[in-house]
Amino acid sequence: LAKMVIANPALDLDRPEFHRPHKDMRPVFGLPKDAFVIGNVARFQKYRGTERLIEATHILRDKLPQLRLLLVGRSGEIKESVEAPIKKFHLEGRVILAGYRLDDYFDTLASMDCFVFLTPGSDGTARALREAMALGLPVIVAKRGMLPELVGNGTAGLVVEDTPENLSQAILRIAEDTERRRSFGMAAKDHAERA
């Protein structure tokens, strides 16, 4: 009988990007100083569920007017999976498309208050989630595949069924509770360093 071992790919946490001071990218993206910035990094395809996150942002437009969604990445499907939902919910100015970032990728991540990750990409590694956690960002993940395990089943962030309603409630909980945000961020960094 053959045996198979699955080893999660480790991040190189000795990279200077995880330890250097980070540039504040909010002015670059036109984000207000008091904005609560949730972010996502992905190749934006329909299966990644970005429309649900955009709808969650719409649900919170009155309860959390300072909320901004920063989307980092690109895709040939971005018009259908991202731009159309932004127009549908009239979120121009609240959802910011940062495009593909190279030299300032880690600065862009560090400018977020919370990282949301719904579906791993085709390589299945959830690398962007791991990087955000290594930077000490609190996270919200979908109850899907290995994602709950990556966030310590809720010790480093919130694990939810990723309906727009559930996502909006999770975002609100993180946004309104500074102590929880700090605690999740510390746990995320610790978990990333141990994984």
Side-chain angles (χ1 to χ4, degrees):
L1 224 143
K3 290 186 178 180
M4 180 170 57
V5 175
I6 298 174
N8 288 329
L11 292 178
D12 179 4
L13 294 176
D14 291 330
R15 289 175 60 179
E17 291 90 342
F18 290 110
H19 306 286
R20 65 171 170 77
H22 294 100
K23 175 184 173 185
D24 181 6
M25 295 294 288
R26 291 177 179 225
V28 173
F29 300 120
L31 294 163
K33 286 188 178 188
D34 69 339
F36 182 78
V37 181
I38 56 171
N40 178 257
V41 175
R43 202 162 149 245
F44 295 111
Q45 297 173 303
K46 196 76 173 162
Y47 80 93
R48 299 302 289 269
T50 312
E51 183 168 358
R52 294 190 296 277
L53 183 53
I54 293 169
E55 186 172 347
T57 304
H58 167 69
I59 290 169
L60 290 169
R61 72 183 312 143
D62 294 328
K63 286 184 184 170
L64 202 60
Q66 73 274 28
L67 177 66
R68 298 296 181 271
L69 172 57
L70 182 61
L71 299 176
V72 181
R74 62 182 175 201
S75 162
E77 297 178 21
I78 200 165
K79 286 194 185 303
E80 306 85 42
S81 62
V82 175
E83 292 175 8
I86 290 171
K87 288 179 184 162
K88 173 183 173 183
F89 294 112
H90 308 287
L91 290 173
E92 298 86 349
R94 290 190 187 223
V95 179
I96 292 86
L97 303 181
Y100 190 74
R101 315 303 299 186
L102 284 174
D103 296 338
D104 59 11
Y105 171 72
F106 284 94
D107 297 310
T108 300
L109 273 183
S111 295
M112 299 171 184
D113 293 300
C114 178
F115 190 80
V116 182
F117 201 77
L118 305 180
T119 307
S122 55
D123 66 358
T125 63
R127 181 179 52 84
L129 171 63
R130 295 166 188 264
E131 290 167 340
M133 291 175 66
L135 288 175
L137 290 175
V139 296
I140 299 169
V141 300
K143 196 179 285 186
R144 181 176 289 119
M146 68 176 176
L147 298 183
E149 184 181 335
L150 287 179
V151 301
N153 291 303
T155 60
L158 298 175
V159 179
V160 299
E161 295 288 351
D162 59 336
T163 64
E165 294 76 15
N166 288 348
L167 286 167
S168 66
Q169 289 170 15
I171 292 164
L172 193 61
R173 284 174 64 193
I174 296 273
E176 292 184 334
D177 192 336
T178 306
E179 181 54 36
R180 178 185 300 226
R181 213 163 51 239
R182 188 189 67 74
S183 173
F184 278 158
M186 288 172 55
K189 187 171 178 55
D190 182 61
H191 197 71
E193 287 171 353
R194 286 186 289 106

